[in-house]
């Protein structure tokens, strides 16, 4: 903990804590309103089919039903309008098409129609009476299959973009791009040792425990009010307005408490549908997803197919690297292969690099961001090969990484040069961690390490702070709080004001009540909204100095403020004393700030994993796990550790168990939390953490953001540990017992083992 | 629509009565009929534990109990854990240990952990993990939850000593 601060670096109890341990906090699904109707969404049973006819008459006539809607109830999509809803540009027709399918369904679970009724059971019964004639089409489920000539085409109007140029080619490949630095061919010619491999990762889900939900009221004055659980209330506002062809000012979004998101609660699914049902009925309509809907109808993360090759000199210097990445976007383009390509070699200083990325549509749910989206897939390949390279060179795997680690000034293949980063510091912390040199403690055990990078994002944030007469302040923000950010934001204001964290009272408000604020995602909330809180608090300090000057009849410039004590020419008053006398000076004191920060600090993370592999069953047990991450500055260390632990365990689940198990006709056959098995308390050891602090020079407190990079290393670290324990190289995620067992058998029967 | 059944039960120590359709789960009755929305729905098929309550002292997933089965039973939900205006040691320990991030799983964990500590005041880490294995948390990786339960157990043993 840094001693220059009194609040930053401490561990206060979160402001919304009492509500959340007593059951009082109102999450999206808990919301109710007078006259509430309940919606149900009917979804496609086919992975790929043309909709020939929809007949809703039986559903409409069903007792208790108030309205039925289909894509025909949406305003027509104006041709090729492009919208930016916080995650890059995308055609409006895709956003609409995913909300309610029109003409064609593109995955099993694709929403087709919706019913509003007096209760959810009636709505579901009625929806089952909707008659739809489908013409089932052949489906394509993996990137390699979808990329081949003759594959079933999802979008007849999709033209492949090739190296930045639009082409005429009708294809499932929406985009093929390439990053080139130096001369990879020449680099590989100089290499004395080359490692390479092909890797696959399965589609996995973010797995938040709270299903999506939305309530909407299309009011009689034409305004739409939405209540929901979302990572970004303004994104919901803008997306709902776009889909319904309304001005943004006609939509107000009240974000309720949110039960996890991890990137998956950025897109809109239900909000526009609830609004359409409300328009038809004149009553508020609430729609809750089932868990199966969540798996089949909301964005998982892309499955991916990677070929990676790394060449080094005998002394360990990497001289060339090549990557070929094909990610499955699901039904609509946007597979996060761009970020994957930016991260695949980001941890290393390599002169000669070529990276090819392919964004490929397949008949699976449209993918969404998942914690460092795209980076985990890429690191699985790179970091496994780094382990192989270390073995070939006879080097310690951390020393090999240190010898090639990216530093300030290192150029990434996609262009940017790193500002100050903590890659080396993270590696050193891993090397010095007692875990790295501890005995393994048993047979069939092995240890693996890996590192990962995520660049984090900035985006706008707004904040106001008003001063109360009792010396506390109210902080108003637009960032929905998924993991304690009310507190990590409030602490930054408290630090500036010289108050205790408890004396800053944060509230997350609706989109009418605060300036535009981007999503809670990209590790940005403590960074950017915290920055806004810092600036708003400085605005308060400036005004308090003026008020003190008035009271003391002094010049405003003569007033100083040090840790909440204001002084001028022998006068002295605490913030609280001044606050009590604000009324004497003129009106209320309200500080405000709106930021769109540059100077985002990327974050590096590392993992040390010990596993035990059962040679009889192939089951991998994690026996010890340490997560290391550069936080820049840990505002609230407990919540930084929590991010590291949570990200690590999601990475462990991705590595060892989780996958969308698809049958040949494109149905997910494990769409329950029983069969899609996420780690339980019983599957895990304690997750050790070590926070590294290499302050981000751009941020007032040095914050980088810690939400994401921690998920990147675990799959590769576990693959490397499995190799150390069982002698097999795993190239595919998940590394579940059958996969590990098969690898062990193959090794024991192969002639050169 | 089916006709409704009149159910008399005890919830968090208070006698309550409600009407429910025979097909409605206890979870639905608690949340939608009685307004006790502290009990959460994560899956509605017994696999996440967000809806955990106790019935006559037994830990159950309320999505797999019918509302009509609550007749004559004693049900405890997260709303019944606090001791009047004071937080229960488990609730305090969850806050002090940052054992919740989004908090959607927290009600279920508190109810399950409370039942554990009533049955076994001094559980070791493995017993805690076993008792909480039906409660999924996607945010925390469980580390801080386990520590919070350990801290509460210590405090409660101290208080009872
Ligand atoms: S909602 Fe009952 S176990 Fe998930
Ligand atoms: S705190 Fe979010 S699921 Fe447990």
């Amino acid at each position: 903990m840094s001693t220059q601060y009194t609040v930053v670096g401490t561990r206060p109890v979160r402001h919304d804590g009492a509500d959340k341990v007593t059951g009082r906090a109102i999450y999206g699904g808990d919301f109710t309103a007078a006259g509430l109707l309940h919606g149900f969404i009917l979804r496609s049973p086919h992975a790929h089919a043309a909709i020939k006819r929809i007949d809703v008459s039986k559903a409409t006539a069903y007792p208790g039903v108030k309205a039925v809607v289909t894509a025909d109830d949406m305003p027509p999509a104006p041709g090729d309008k492009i919208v930016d809803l916080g995650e890059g540009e995308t055609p409006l027709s895709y956003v609409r098409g995913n909300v309610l399918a029109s003409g064609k369904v593109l995955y099993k679970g694709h929403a087709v129609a919706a019913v509003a009724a007096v209760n959810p059971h009636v709505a579901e019964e009625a929806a089952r009476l909707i008659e739809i004639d489908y013409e089932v089409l052949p489906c394509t489920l993996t990137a390699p299959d979808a990329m081949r000539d003759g594959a079933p085409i999802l979008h007849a109007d999709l033209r492949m973009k090739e190296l930045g140029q639009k082409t005429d080619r009708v294809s499932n490949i929406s985009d093929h791009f390439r990053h080139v630095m130096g001369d990879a061919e020449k680099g590989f010619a100089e290499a004395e040792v080359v490692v390479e491999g092909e890797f696959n990762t399965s589609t996995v889900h973010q797995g938040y425990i709270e299903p999506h939900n939305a309530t909407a009221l299309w009011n009689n004055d034409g305004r739409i009010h939405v209540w929901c659980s979302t990572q970004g209330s303004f994104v919901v506002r803008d997306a709902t307005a776009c889909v319904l062809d309304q001005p943004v000012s006609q939509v107000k979004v009240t974000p309720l408490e949110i039960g996890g998101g991890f990137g998956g609660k950025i897109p809109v699914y239900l909000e526009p549908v609830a609004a359409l049902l409300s328009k038809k009925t004149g009553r508020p309509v609430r729609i809750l997803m089932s868990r199966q809907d969540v798996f089949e109808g909301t964005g998982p993360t892309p499955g991916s197919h990677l070929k990676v090759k790394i060449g080094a000199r005998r002394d360990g210097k990497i001289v060339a690297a090549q990557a070929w990445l094909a990610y499955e976007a699901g039904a609509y383009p946007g597979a996060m292969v761009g970020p994957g390509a930016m991260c695949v070699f980001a941890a290393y200083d390599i002169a000669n690099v070529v990276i090819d990325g392919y964004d490929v549509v397949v008949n699976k749910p449209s993918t969404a961001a998942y914690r460092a989206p795209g980076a985990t897939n890429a690191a699985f390949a790179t970091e496994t090969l780094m382990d192989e390279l270390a073995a070939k060179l006879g080097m310690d795997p951390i020393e090999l990484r240190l010898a090639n680690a990216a530093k300030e000034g290192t150029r990434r293949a996609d262009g940017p040069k790193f500002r100050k980063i903590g890659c080396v510091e993270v590696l050193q912390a891993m090397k010095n961690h007692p875990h790295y040199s501890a005995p393994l403690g048993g047979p069939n055990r092995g240890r693996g390490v890996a590192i990962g990078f995520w660049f984090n994002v900035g985006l706008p944030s707004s904040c106001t702070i008003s001063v109360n007469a009792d010396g506390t302040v109210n902080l108003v923000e637009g960032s929905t709080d998924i993991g304690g950010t009310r507190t990590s934001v409030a602490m930054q204001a408290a630090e500036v004001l010289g108050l205790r964290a408890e004396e800053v009272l944060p509230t997350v408000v609706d989109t009418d009540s605060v300036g535009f604020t981007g999503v809670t995602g990209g590790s940005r909330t403590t960074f950017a909204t915290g920055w806004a809180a810092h600036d708003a608090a400085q605005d308060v300090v400036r005004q308090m100095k003026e008020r003190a000057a008035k009271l003391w009849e002094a010049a405003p410039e003569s007033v100083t403020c040090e840790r909440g004590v204001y002084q001028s020419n022998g006068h002295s008053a605490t913030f609280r004393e001044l606050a009590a006398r604000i009324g004497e000076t003129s009106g209320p004191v309200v500080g405000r700030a709106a930021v769109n920060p540059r100077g985002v600090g990327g974050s590096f993370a590392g993992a040390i994993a010990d596993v035990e592999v059962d040679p009889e069953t192939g089951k991998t047990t994690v026996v010890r796990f340490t997560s290391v991450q550069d936080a820049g500055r840990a505002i609230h260390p407990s919540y930084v550790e929590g991010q590291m632990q949570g990200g690590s365990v999601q990475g462990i689940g991705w590595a060892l168990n989780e996958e969308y198990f698809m049958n040949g006709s494109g149905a997910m056959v494990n769409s329950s939390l029983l069969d899609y098995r996420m780690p339980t308390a019983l599957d895990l050891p304690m997750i050790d953490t070590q926070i590294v602090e290499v302050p981000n020079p751009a941020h007032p407190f040095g914050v980088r953001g810690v939400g994401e990079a921690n998920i990147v290393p675990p799959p590769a670290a576990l693959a490397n540990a499995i190799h150390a324990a069982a002698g097999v190289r795993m190239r595919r995620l998940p590394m579940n017992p059958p996969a590990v067992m098969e690898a062990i058998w193959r090794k024991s029967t192969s002639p050169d083992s | 629509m089916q006709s409704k059944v009149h159910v008399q039960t005890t919830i968090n120590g208070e006698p309550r009565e409600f009407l429910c359709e025979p097909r409605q789960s206890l979870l639905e009755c608690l949340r939608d009929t009685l307004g006790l929305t502290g009990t959460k729905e994560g899956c509605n098929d017994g696999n996440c534990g967000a809806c955990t309550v106790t019935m006559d002292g037994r830990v159950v997933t309320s999505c797999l109990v019918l509302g009509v089965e609550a007749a004559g039973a004693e049900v405890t939900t997260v709303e019944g854990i606090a001791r009047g205006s004071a937080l229960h040691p488990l609730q305090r320990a969850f806050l002090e240990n940052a054992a919740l991030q989004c908090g959607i799983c927290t009600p279920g964990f508190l109810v399950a952990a409370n039942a554990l500590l009533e049955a076994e005041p001094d559980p070791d880490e493995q017993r805690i993990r076993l008792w909480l294995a039906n409660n999924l948390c996607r945010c925390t990786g469980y580390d801080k939850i386990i520590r919070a339960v350990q801290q509460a157990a210590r405090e409660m043993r101290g208080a009872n000593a």
Side-chain angles (χ1 to χ4, degrees), chain B residues 27 40-51 61-64 134:
Chain B
L27 173 62
K40 303 301 182 192
E41 176 180 326
C43 68
N44 211 24
D45 58 13
N47 288 304
C48 76
C51 66
T61 46
S62 60
C63 66
L64 295 188
N134 193 49

Side-chain angles (χ1 to χ4, degrees), chain A residues 13-14 17-18 20-23 25-27 29-30 118-122 125 205-211 258-260 262 286 291 370 482-484 638-639 641-643 645-646 649-650 658 672-674 676 678-682 684-687, chain B residues 1 21 23-24 28 31-32 37-43 45 47-48 50 78-79 82 87 91-92 94-107 110 125-126 128-130 132-133 135-144 146-147 150:
Chain A
V13 164
R14 61 195 286 170
K20 284 185 174 160
V21 296
T22 55
I26 299 298
Y27 289 74
D30 304 335
V118 291
N119 74 44
H121 302 286
V122 170
E125 286 162 359
H205 199 274
Q206 295 82 348
Y208 31 78
I209 303 302
E210 176 203 46
I258 167 173
F262 315 110
R286 183 174 85 186
R291 178 54 56 176
Y370 179 21
I482 316 185
S638 296
Y639 286 105
E641 293 160 5
Q643 289 296 318
Q645 292 164 332
V649 167
Q650 285 187 316
E658 296 176 30
S672 78
L673 289 174
L674 180 65
Y676 183 95
M678 308 197 297
T680 71
L682 204 51
L684 296 161
M686 290 296 191
I687 306 294
Chain B
M1 262 185 281
E21 292 178 35
R23 64 177 167 186
Q24 283 187 292
E28 209 183 329
R31 290 177 54 79
D32 291 349
T37 55
T39 305
K40 303 301 182 192
E41 176 180 326
C43 68
D45 58 13
N47 288 304
C48 76
V78 67
E79 288 93 344
L87 292 178
Q91 293 171 311
R92 238 183 331 98
F94 266 60
L95 293 180
E96 288 167 9
N97 287 275
L100 53 144
Q101 286 177 32
C102 79
I104 197 85
C105 67
T106 308
L110 287 169
E125 182 189 329
Q126 222 34 38
I128 298 173
R129 289 187 182 277
L130 181 68
L132 300 181
N135 292 79
L136 291 175
C137 173
R138 191 60 157 173
C139 298
T140 64
Y142 306 101
D143 182 299
K144 293 185 188 300
I146 307 294
R147 289 179 203 278
Q150 288 171 327

Side-chain angles (χ1 to χ4, degrees), chain A residues 90-91 93-102 104-107 110 154-155 158 174 328-335 359-362 364-367:
Chain A
T90 178
S93 60
Y94 291 168
V95 180
R96 278 205 188 141
N98 200 36
V99 167
L100 279 174
S102 160
K104 237 177 139 187
V105 289
L106 298 168
Y107 54 97
H110 200 158
L154 271 75
H155 301 277
L158 178 65
S174 110
E328 294 158 6
Y332 298 96
D359 184 16
V360 186
V361 293
V362 297
K364 293 200 277 200
S366 185
T367 55

